[in-house]
Amino acid sequence: MDFNPVSEAKEIEDEIIAWRRDFHMHPELKYEEERTSKIVEEHLREWGYSIKRVGTGVIADIGKGTKTIALRADMDALPIQEENDVPYKSKIPGKMHACGHDAHTAMLLGAAKIIAEHKDGLNGKVRLIFQPAEEGGNGAVKMIEGGALEGVNAIFGFHVWMDLPSGVIGIRDGPFLAGAGIFGGRITGKGGHGASPHETVDPIPIMAETVLAFQTIVSRNVNPVETGVVSVTSVHGGTAFNVIPEEVEFKGTFRFFKPEVGELIQRRMREILEGVTKAHGAKYELNIEELTPPTINSKEMADFARKVAQKYGLKYGDVPPTMGAEDFAFYLQKVPGAFLALGIRNEEKGITYPHHHPRFDVDEDVLYLGTAMEVALAFEFLR
Ligand code: NI
């Protein structure tokens, strides 16, 4: 590479911040990213990228060659009323970029601009993925269905990170964010008079037994050095003090880092329901939906990112895993890569509120570092 990505990113820092503020003032919820994606597409076209649209998502390619590296940003905001008093406060009531996806989009736009200026030095292809609907919409799946990973050899993405000091790049091997799923169902017995339980199959004690037995999945079945969560968050049944209901409905969520733990949790929930209901002569229904797999970074790609950060003097360190989930996981199921964190916590500026909080904000002064790292990853991967 015949230029320094850090100084070039610093040169366009004002532009990156201006984009971020513009997106911040005009937040759009999942699958409604019309304005944001239009601005992104217009810039990319102007800079010479070839564009493929996938709904409100944008896939942009530049360069020639056999190797392709993909860089991804998410563009959607959250249904939250912003409480920050800043000049770039959200102009849309009830909507806010409270997870920093505005910053992700702006950082990747900055990288797009620098990469385009140096495209003759690229020994391969760079693919930029600006995706919709990360927040509970699995926009990544739509992008993959739309061809985002075709021909891609490696993928990287950034998330701004409140748990890391400003400017530090968090790089982790293996599981980083948790896999998440939801479950729901019902236990059906035989209703009747509350005074004549012997003539009924009462689903309420059967439900109670099931909820308690579910507590043994993580404590007794999951290897204690691994981790998982099973939470029954809703149980509904019955209408009157003297009526034994016909059925009880329930709902909940589960979390895990290793796919095999996720599978174990699901299998044990089925077995427990099967056994407990059979013992009491009741029936059950169980629907499990795995929403997002765990986000698992490739060790090789995490090491590559460390080497790149080191080479360009970018501060980096480890970042602890979290039970939150991220749909970047879907890309990593198909292509090796790493999801990186960019520290944005700045106590002096009062930037300490957690993600999804109405007073969440990012330390804009470090966004250029994310841009620099993206550019560096692209050129170093395509050497
Ligand atoms: Ni997010």
Side-chain angles (χ1 to χ4, degrees):
M1 192 178 352
D2 59 352
F3 66 97
N4 184 325
V6 183
S7 51
E8 297 232 351
K10 183 74 185 164
E11 267 171 46
I12 62 161
E13 179 177 27
D14 290 348
E15 222 172 335
I16 296 167
I17 292 173
W19 287 324
R20 184 261 162 167
R21 292 187 171 196
D22 178 54
F23 297 139
H24 193 86
M25 285 188 277
H26 304 94
E28 296 173 301
L29 301 185
K30 60 183 169 193
Y31 293 121
E32 295 173 358
E33 304 88 345
E34 303 286 348
R35 180 185 183 276
T36 310
S37 63
K38 188 167 170 275
I39 292 168
V40 166
E41 179 178 344
E42 280 169 6
H43 283 298
L44 295 172
R45 279 195 193 283
E46 188 194 317
W47 299 329
Y49 285 82
S50 62
I51 304 290
K52 184 182 179 188
R53 271 279 184 172
V54 182
T56 48
V58 179
I59 301 172
D61 283 2
I62 201 162
K64 285 192 191 79
T66 49
K67 255 171 122 183
T68 303
I69 179 174
L71 300 169
R72 171 273 207 173
D74 43 9
M75 302 185 287
D76 57 321
L78 287 156
I80 293 176
Q81 177 65 41
E82 176 153 21
E83 286 174 17
N84 284 315
D85 188 16
V86 287
Y88 49 88
K89 182 176 175 164
S90 170
K91 291 186 169 173
I92 318 284
K95 298 182 189 177
M96 177 192 177
H97 270 291
C99 198
H101 300 188
D102 49 346
H104 305 164
T105 306
M107 289 193 298
L108 192 56
L109 260 188
K113 187 176 185 187
I114 297 169
I115 290 166
E117 278 162 10
H118 299 278
K119 66 170 186 277
D120 296 339
L122 280 174
N123 190 20
K125 231 195 281 183
V126 178
R127 172 162 307 155
L128 307 178
I129 302 170
F130 289 88
Q131 77 156 73
E134 193 286 319
E135 299 288 357
N138 279 347
V141 174
K142 295 270 187 290
M143 296 306 283
I144 294 168
E145 286 167 1
L149 292 181
E150 273 162 31
V152 169
N153 302 102
I155 184 163
F156 292 89
F158 254 115
H159 207 299
V160 292
W161 214 251
M162 196 54 79
D163 292 331
L164 278 181
S166 224
V168 175
I169 296 172
I171 307 175
R172 185 172 184 84
D173 293 343
F176 180 16
L177 289 105
I182 54 177
F183 60 87
R186 73 185 75 228
I187 291 174
T188 307
K190 186 171 163 247
H193 201 294
S196 308
H198 61 292
E199 288 169 3
T200 73
V201 175
D202 186 350
I204 287 182
I206 305 171
M207 184 76 243
E209 233 178 285
T210 302
V211 173
L212 286 177
F214 275 10
Q215 308 311 306
T216 66
I217 298 175
V218 173
S219 69
R220 302 292 88 181
N221 302 136
V222 173
N223 182 331
V225 299
E226 303 296 345
T227 185
V229 174
V230 178
S231 294
V232 179
T233 54
S234 161
V235 173
H236 285 282
T239 51
F241 76 91
N242 55 359
V243 178
I244 289 172
E246 189 85 2
E247 60 180 34
V248 176
E249 290 181 328
F250 61 93
K251 278 180 201 162
T253 183
F254 61 104
R255 304 280 161 128
F256 53 96
F257 279 114
K258 292 211 171 140
E260 53 268 35
V261 173
E263 282 158 25
L264 172 73
I265 289 171
Q266 297 181 45
R267 196 191 75 217
R268 286 299 295 143
M269 285 199 292
R270 278 203 191 86
E271 287 171 354
I272 287 167
L273 266 167
E274 178 79 40
V276 172
T277 52
K278 194 172 176 208
H280 297 287
K283 291 195 174 71
Y284 76 96
E285 251 177 68
L286 175 65
N287 305 302
I288 301 177
E289 200 185 332
E290 207 172 305
L291 293 180
T292 313
T295 301
I296 301 173
N297 286 344
S298 132
K299 163 112 178 64
E300 190 195 343
M301 290 300 150
D303 278 340
F304 167 72
R306 285 186 192 98
K307 249 190 270 166
V308 171
Q310 174 105 39
K311 179 167 176 182
Y312 292 98
L314 296 163
K315 252 189 272 171
Y316 68 95
D318 193 20
V319 53
T322 90
M323 293 315 277
E326 162 64 55
D327 77 357
F328 194 78
F330 288 104
Y331 300 111
L332 292 178
Q333 279 188 326
K334 308 228 178 259
V335 170
F339 193 54
L340 310 176
L342 175 65
I344 47 153
R345 184 184 195 83
N346 190 321
E347 309 269 349
E348 267 168 47
K349 293 182 187 167
I351 297 173
T352 54
Y353 290 94
H355 295 261
H356 295 208
H357 189 280
R359 300 188 70 181
F360 173 84
D361 203 352
V362 307
D363 184 359
E364 293 176 324
D365 292 340
V366 300
L367 298 185
Y368 82 96
L369 295 170
T371 294
M373 182 68 175
E374 286 170 339
V375 173
L377 285 167
F379 279 85
E380 289 295 330
F381 187 78
L382 300 175
R383 280 168 78 84

